[in-house]
Every structure is written in C-alpha cells, then in structure tokens.
Amino acid sequence: MAVSLFSRPFFRIYGALWSLARPFLKRSARLADGWQERLIPSAWLAPDFSSSEEHAVDIWIQAASGGEARLAAAVCRSFPSDSALRMLITTWTRQGRDVLEQALPSLRESHPRLSVAVRFAPFDHPDIVRRAVALASPRLVALLETELWPGLLAACREKDIPVHVFNGRINSSTAHFGKLFPSLMADIAPSAVHAISRYDQKSFASMFPCPVDVMPNIKFDLAAKTLSDPLARQSHSFSASGPVFLFASVRQCEETRIPGQLARLYKAAPDAAVVIVPRHLHRVSAWKSVLEDLALMPVLASDLVPGRSLPRRHVLIWDHFGDLPQLYASARAVFVGGSFGQGGQNFLEPLAAGRVPCIGPSAHNFLWAMGSSDGSIPTLEEAGLLHVAHTPKDVIDIMLRLAATPGERQEVRELFRAWITPRLGGAALAARLMEKALASL
C-alpha cells in the first residue's frame, strides 16, 4: 500500500480550509441540494451497492456538471451491451444529476447487465473523500475533463486505486495550481491522462509524471448523436410574431455586455423575440434585474402561459434546464455565451440543430471544437460554420445578418456532419481504455 499523503502540511491546511468553508458552502443553493449525501453517510451507496464487498463498484466516474454528465452517459452507452460492470457516477450539480438520472432508463434497456448508481460528489475534505473511497472501493476511478481534486487523487493513491483522466483539458486555474505545488502534483499524479488536444497533452505532461496521450473529444460524439436523430421540429412553449433571437448559455460576463445592445436589435427588428438562457439557473434573478433596469420587461418562461404570444419588446428568460435543443431549432439567430471572458460554452449544439452560431472572442475552453487548419481541414470558422464577434455590437450585427439569411437547417447539418466525421470515436475509446485498465489489474 502506498504511503498516505494526508499527513503532509498541504492537506492539513487544505482540510482546515474545507472545514472553515462548510458554513458558507451550505448557503450555496447549488451545494445545499443533497448536502447530507455530499458528506458521505455510511449508507451512501445503498440500496444500489453493498459497501461490505471488497469492491462495491468497478468504475467510479466523476463528472462536474451537466456537460460532463452527458459525457459519462455516452461512455456508459459505449460499453458492450453485455458488460456486467458496477458503475458509480458522481456529479457536483443538480443539472448533472438530472442528466444522468434521465439517461438511466434507456441505459438499463440497452445494457441490462450494467449497474449504474448516481450520487452527488463528495466534498474534497480529506476525511470525507477518504470515507467515500473506502465505501466505494472502486477498481478504477475515471475523472472527466478538469476534475482533478487533490483529496480524491490522494485518497486513491493511498488505496493504490488507478486513476485515469478522460477528455482531459487544462484550465488556467488548474495550470497555476500545478505550478505552485509541483512536488504534490508528482505525488498525486493519475495513472494516465487522455487529453483532448496537443496543447492539453503538453500541459498535463508538464504537470504530472504519467503517460499522457491525445484522444478524440467525446463532445464530438454527442453532437454526432444529435445529427443522427431526425431534425428537431421548431417548437417551444411560446409563440412569437417575429424571428427568435436566442442568447444561449450566457454567463455572468455577458450580463453587463449584451443587455445594453438589445435596444439596437429591437430597432432593427421590431418584431424580434429575444430569449435569454442563462448557463446557470442561479443567475436568472441577476438577468431579470439587469433587464428591468433597462426597461426591457423580462418575462420568466415558467410564468408564461403555454402557447401565449410573447409581447413585443419583452425579453423571455428561460428558467428551465434541458430545453436548448428545441430552442435552437426555433431560433433564426443564435449567440452562445460564456465567450466574453469566461472561455466559452458548447457551440456545437446549435450546429447539430441546423443553426450557425455566433460567439464572442473568449473561447479558449473550446479551441478543440474549432479545429486547426493545416491547409486541408478547415476550422469551423473557415468552413462558414461559426461566426466570432469581437464586441457586443458585433454580436448584434452578426445575429441580424443570420436572421435575415438563416439558411436551410438540414443543409447546415450536412455541412457539419462532413466536418465532424473525422473527429469521432472518443466515447468508444474511453470505454475500451477503461476495460483495458480493469483487465490489467
């Protein structure tokens, strides 16, 4: 058994900070949901699995939120249909949990021998995460994208549990943390990292002394799955007399930039129906307040009578999760947010729905999705499948042009299908690598 790392000064301070933060964490609407489960009670895995077995679960997959939860579900679907594995999938958010629980019925139908349990992720306090690892005793831990929690990594090292990072990518805060604690990174390094780009491969290799390779991004598989479905019909719970301008997955960085430009949009398109979809539902009230200050008369989707026409110059704030596919299908022009300072959000989804999106200048979290031109394979922007705006004013100008000539949705989908086909296979590769890792134990 490996020597425990929790006696190191870093983890003593780290645990103390988690303890000090607990009262504040409990006030968070996102973390208060499932609070007791996050503290890992003794019956954490009941009734799905028994903690009395040597290994309660075979694979523990950690997925941060809704997007990563979709990746986890895609990987599970990529195992052979007769796989008899016990899977624990944890997530930090209610959105992630809802995504996974909604996927369970079809997963159980297609993989009847695959046992899957969904839980909220444990807090990374050393005592809590050690208890979670002891109860689950997984044969393999799979971390998705950026879920590099020091406590979980150390607890797995303590129990000699192999950890693989799939769809791995590095954000600036993780890279900075790694530079501050190089010896710690060496001690808690995962067994292997499967990164989504050469850039991320290089960053992981500089942080961890473990094998690092490059895999296709599983998010391309999710987009391809949507492309394989029939074209979604243009439907939503409201009617509009004019074109729908959709501002999707907008984040806090857009709250002070986009609303002030809406008057220009209404002036150019008086019948426009503007729909705002915050990336995080806890920001709905903030968007409502900003719009009210600008006399733009916001309306919550939950307060709008189904079928009722949205009044002119009223902005609809979508406060439901999971409705973006239908909204993309209904929109004439789409802006995908998080791209004015927070690294962007997934702009492949509107393409799968047949709409060419506009984004802001900050999309470093999604550079993998743009493609890199080598003279033969164009980027999305070069292929005419993405528009990058440099200012909020540019966003409105581009969206007005898109609304005037939106193009045939099926034609956009076919162009996107041709672009994405060489980039598929990430989910199947992740499942094969997990099986290979289990077989080597």
Side-chain angles (χ1 to χ4, degrees):
M1 178 181 291
V3 176
S4 174
L5 298 172
F6 289 105
S7 60
R8 292 180 53 148
F10 170 85
F11 281 108
R12 290 200 294 270
I13 297 171
Y14 186 65
L17 291 175
W18 270 101
S19 297
L20 289 171
R22 184 179 294 190
F24 302 98
L25 296 176
K26 196 169 186 179
R27 295 176 188 172
S28 165
R30 297 178 72 191
L31 297 179
D33 187 12
W35 180 262
Q36 290 302 319
E37 190 172 287
R38 300 175 194 272
L39 299 178
I40 313 301
S42 59
W44 185 49
L45 298 179
D48 299 283
F49 303 122
S50 172
S51 298
S52 63
E53 299 184 29
E54 181 182 1
H55 297 286
V57 302
D58 295 303
I59 303 175
W60 174 357
I61 301 178
Q62 167 57 24
S65 189
E68 295 80 7
R70 291 187 177 93
L71 303 186
V75 171
C76 289
R77 285 192 291 267
S78 296
F79 281 99
S81 58
D82 60 348
S83 290
L85 293 171
R86 293 160 297 174
M87 312 281 292
L88 169 65
I89 308 178
T90 55
T91 178
W92 280 102
T93 68
R94 169 55 61 181
Q95 293 176 352
R97 183 152 186 166
D98 288 346
V99 166
L100 291 165
E101 290 180 343
Q102 289 166 12
L104 286 181
S106 63
L107 186 59
R108 287 167 179 157
E109 183 176 349
S110 62
H111 293 68
R113 301 185 64 197
L114 198 68
S115 300
V116 181
V118 178
R119 297 290 187 273
F120 283 115
F123 289 126
D124 204 51
H125 185 287
D127 292 341
I128 295 174
V129 77
R130 281 173 114 180
R131 188 159 61 246
V133 169
L135 289 173
S137 188
R139 297 169 61 204
L140 173 70
V141 170
L143 307 178
L144 296 182
E145 300 213 330
T146 61
E147 287 297 277
L148 302 173
W149 292 95
L152 178 57
L153 288 167
C156 290
R157 176 62 65 88
E158 184 179 57
K159 295 289 187 180
D160 290 326
I161 298 169
V163 177
H164 285 239
V165 179
F166 294 95
N167 237 56
R169 61 183 178 88
I170 289 284
N171 57 36
S172 58
S173 59
T174 302
H176 183 64
F177 182 85
K179 291 177 181 178
L180 288 176
F181 301 98
S183 63
L184 175 68
M185 294 298 100
D187 288 338
I188 65 174
S191 305
V193 176
H194 313 283
I196 59 172
S197 71
R198 297 295 179 192
Y199 167 81
D200 292 289
Q201 179 188 33
K202 183 178 179 179
S203 298
F204 275 114
S206 68
M207 181 182 299
F208 295 126
C210 68
V212 184
D213 57 27
V214 178
M215 65 173 288
N217 197 307
I218 302 171
K219 287 178 179 175
F220 286 133
D221 292 342
L222 300 184
K225 182 178 183 299
T226 304
L227 284 171
S228 68
D229 296 334
L231 191 64
R233 64 188 182 91
Q234 300 184 28
S235 64
H236 42 56
S237 61
F238 68 97
S239 61
S241 58
V244 175
F245 289 77
L246 177 62
F247 295 82
S249 297
V250 288
R251 299 186 63 182
Q252 193 169 355
C253 56
E254 277 89 32
E255 289 174 14
T256 57
R257 292 173 171 85
I258 296 300
Q261 295 293 320
L262 294 181
R264 291 184 57 245
L265 189 154
Y266 283 124
K267 182 177 180 180
D271 293 333
V274 175
V275 181
I276 302 285
V277 185
R279 173 65 180 86
H280 299 116
L281 295 183
H282 69 275
R283 300 302 303 176
V284 166
S285 59
W287 276 95
K288 187 172 183 291
S289 177
V290 169
L291 293 168
E292 286 174 341
D293 289 344
L294 294 173
L296 287 172
M297 296 173 287
V299 178
L300 298 182
S302 57
D303 293 336
L304 193 67
V305 177
R308 179 185 172 187
S309 179
L310 182 67
R312 289 183 61 178
R313 298 184 67 87
H314 282 61
V315 179
L316 185 61
I317 303 177
W318 208 262
D319 55 350
H320 303 148
F321 181 72
D323 296 330
L324 271 177
Q326 290 74 28
L327 292 170
Y328 283 137
S330 302
R332 290 286 293 274
V334 174
F335 169 79
V336 179
S339 51
F340 272 97
Q342 292 179 280
Q345 295 297 144
N346 191 346
F347 47 78
L348 299 181
E349 294 175 348
L351 282 168
R355 287 289 179 243
V356 175
C358 168
I359 63 172
S362 172
H364 53 267
N365 290 341
F366 287 84
L367 292 177
W368 57 267
M370 296 181 179
S372 56
S373 179
D374 61 2
S376 60
I377 302 177
T379 66
L380 276 176
E381 192 173 9
E382 290 168 343
L385 293 172
L386 182 69
H387 299 285
V388 179
H390 298 285
T391 68
K393 179 180 180 298
D394 292 341
V395 170
I396 301 304
D397 292 340
I398 291 171
M399 293 185 77
L400 288 169
R401 291 200 302 270
L402 289 172
T405 55
E408 293 293 331
R409 293 175 58 213
Q410 190 58 47
E411 180 180 347
V412 171
R413 279 163 54 99
E414 291 305 321
L415 290 171
F416 182 45
R417 190 193 310 277
W419 188 91
I420 203 174
T421 296
R423 298 167 168 86
L424 302 180
L429 177 60
R432 289 198 302 272
L433 290 172
M434 289 184 195
E435 288 183 308
K436 182 179 179 180
L438 290 177
S440 67
L441 297 178

